[in-house]
Amino acid sequence: MEKSFNKIMHGYQQFRKKYAQGDQSIMEYLSDYGQQPQVMVIACCDSRVDPALILQCDPGDLFVVRNVANIVPPFEQDDMHHGTSAALEFGIRFLKVKHLVLLGHSQCGGIQTLLEGKHSIKNDFISNWVSIVDEQADNKMNADDYAKLAVKKSYENCLTFPWIEEKLQQNELAIHQWYFDIKTGRIFAYSENKNEYVEL
Ligand SMILES: [Zn+2]
């Protein structure tokens, strides 16, 4: 436990040196001029799937939401607390990002919970949350296939947001369906023409 805490303390020092010191401080620049990310990513909380690390980005590059199983919920106008929808609204309507990446991944614990259904460990929030992407799947589908199906469902949910639909119509936004394979570190992107995932 000490070892991993020491690691983050060391990491913090390196971050300060690289991004927040001297005349060329990226953080100072971003503070003075504000953030203008062009890319928004919806990623899973999974510790192995950090978009900024996988895509080797700097501060200011990515506007990121991470939630269990990288889910976009449908557009719902009620008094509930829609954290992911609020982030989408901020990124797309106010920061005006040009690209929205839905980043699914292999070995997803959230998807696993969904597939285990009633047999899964009792929880307060996870099962209800992942039920958003509960889809009819054929029996041969494994959790990784299902993760791709869930990305498709999230994509369809994106289209229920009127301001996302509008941006797509006006060619001001592109939505990318991606799948990250943890073991090989490869990303595959869904190709509409081929109706399959192809490596980036
Ligand atoms: Zn996951």
Side-chain angles (χ1 to χ4, degrees), residues 44 46 69 105 108-109:
C44 186
D46 194 302
H105 72 97
C108 183

Side-chain angles (χ1 to χ4, degrees), residues 64-99:
V64 178
V65 189
R66 296 181 73 171
N67 64 39
V68 171
N70 47 266
I71 291 169
V72 174
F75 181 77
E76 288 171 317
Q77 279 184 310
D78 53 38
D79 293 333
M80 306 306 278
H81 302 103
H82 298 288
T84 297
S85 302
L88 276 169
E89 182 168 44
F90 196 75
I92 290 169
R93 293 185 76 189
F94 298 99
L95 294 173
K96 298 182 168 57
V97 297
K98 303 283 180 254
H99 298 271

Side-chain angles (χ1 to χ4, degrees), residues 35-153:
Q35 61 168 334
Q36 292 179 305
Q38 300 285 297
V39 180
M40 177 166 179
V41 183
I42 313 274
C44 186
C45 301
D46 194 302
S47 61
R48 301 163 293 183
V49 189
D50 182 344
L53 195 62
I54 294 168
L55 302 170
Q56 296 283 289
C57 286
D58 290 316
D61 287 345
L62 296 180
F63 190 73
V64 178
V65 189
R66 296 181 73 171
N67 64 39
V68 171
N70 47 266
I71 291 169
V72 174
F75 181 77
E76 288 171 317
Q77 279 184 310
D78 53 38
D79 293 333
M80 306 306 278
H81 302 103
H82 298 288
T84 297
S85 302
L88 276 169
E89 182 168 44
F90 196 75
I92 290 169
R93 293 185 76 189
F94 298 99
L95 294 173
K96 298 182 168 57
V97 297
K98 303 283 180 254
H99 298 271
L100 174 62
V101 176
L102 309 178
L103 183 62
H105 72 97
S106 60
Q107 301 175 328
C108 183
I111 296 296
Q112 201 61 51
T113 303
L114 178 65
L115 293 180
E116 283 163 14
K118 295 186 188 83
H119 311 293
S120 63
I121 304 158
K122 192 171 167 3
N123 60 72
D124 290 328
F125 298 106
I126 300 167
S127 294
N128 187 45
W129 170 249
V130 295
S131 73
I132 293 172
V133 290
D134 196 359
E135 289 281 277
Q136 284 291 340
D138 74 60
N139 293 337
K140 282 178 236 146
M141 237 180 213
N142 62 30
D144 291 351
D145 294 330
Y146 202 96
K148 293 175 185 167
L149 194 69
V151 169
K152 183 167 175 257
K153 179 69 181 171

